[in-house]
Amino acid sequence: MLAIYNKVRDDDDTVPHNILISKLERHRFDGWTIWRIRNWLDGHTQGVAVNGLMSKWKQATSGIPQGSAVRRVLFNIFVSNMDSGIECTLCKFADDTKVCGVVNMLEGRDAIQRDFNRLERWAHVNIIKFNKAKCKVLHMGQGNPKHKYRLGRE
């Protein structure tokens, strides 16, 4: 058995507003609710301070404001289609993603790699990244060849 652990980068700070709104529409949220969420997201600005110098304030085009009660709900809606076409077991909890599969034949190893490729394409389409530094592979079983998997071009 094999388990692969991934972490979506920076949680919901990178969620593009336009993609989130389109996913709400696909989930058939009513127009009033979508309008309220869009207004709430579009009303946020951000700036950066470095060494005491402050940048100009700019409108935030991604991220869900911290401290909001609906933050996790919106993020879960955003990642709800991540498992589309996945062959292995995919577990999602908040900003953690786990891919698990049994590798007792070459086909199992190839299925896991195909799933990694699908996840990388999903991330590209949704303009979000996996934190590859936090990705770990757990190889289990005696005589496990410990195949190396790749997420993206690495």
Side-chain angles (χ1 to χ4, degrees), residues 21-38:
I21 294 299
S22 70
K23 289 184 181 203
L24 292 172
E25 290 167 346
R26 276 187 295 231
H27 277 83
R28 301 195 186 276
F29 276 69
D30 64 272
W32 185 85
T33 302
I34 291 172
W35 178 81
R36 295 281 302 184
I37 291 172
R38 181 182 286 129

Side-chain angles (χ1 to χ4, degrees), residues 57-107:
W57 288 92
K58 295 190 110 187
Q59 183 174 344
T61 58
S62 66
I64 302 168
Q66 302 224 358
S68 63
V70 296
R71 182 179 177 140
R72 293 286 175 215
V73 173
L74 292 175
F75 186 71
N76 283 333
I77 290 169
F78 184 80
V79 298
S80 65
N81 68 336
M82 180 190 288
D83 53 0
S84 180
I86 297 292
E87 299 174 58
C88 299
T89 301
L90 184 94
C91 301
K92 297 179 285 187
F93 181 75
D95 64 342
D96 288 324
T97 305
K98 292 177 178 44
V99 176
C100 303
V102 176
V103 180
N104 52 11
M105 297 165 92
L106 194 58
E107 291 84 11

Side-chain angles (χ1 to χ4, degrees), residues 7-22:
K7 187 169 182 67
V8 175
R9 186 179 144 238
D10 293 333
D11 193 11
D12 37 21
D13 294 335
T14 60
V15 171
H17 293 169
N18 59 335
I19 294 175
L20 175 60
I21 294 299
S22 70

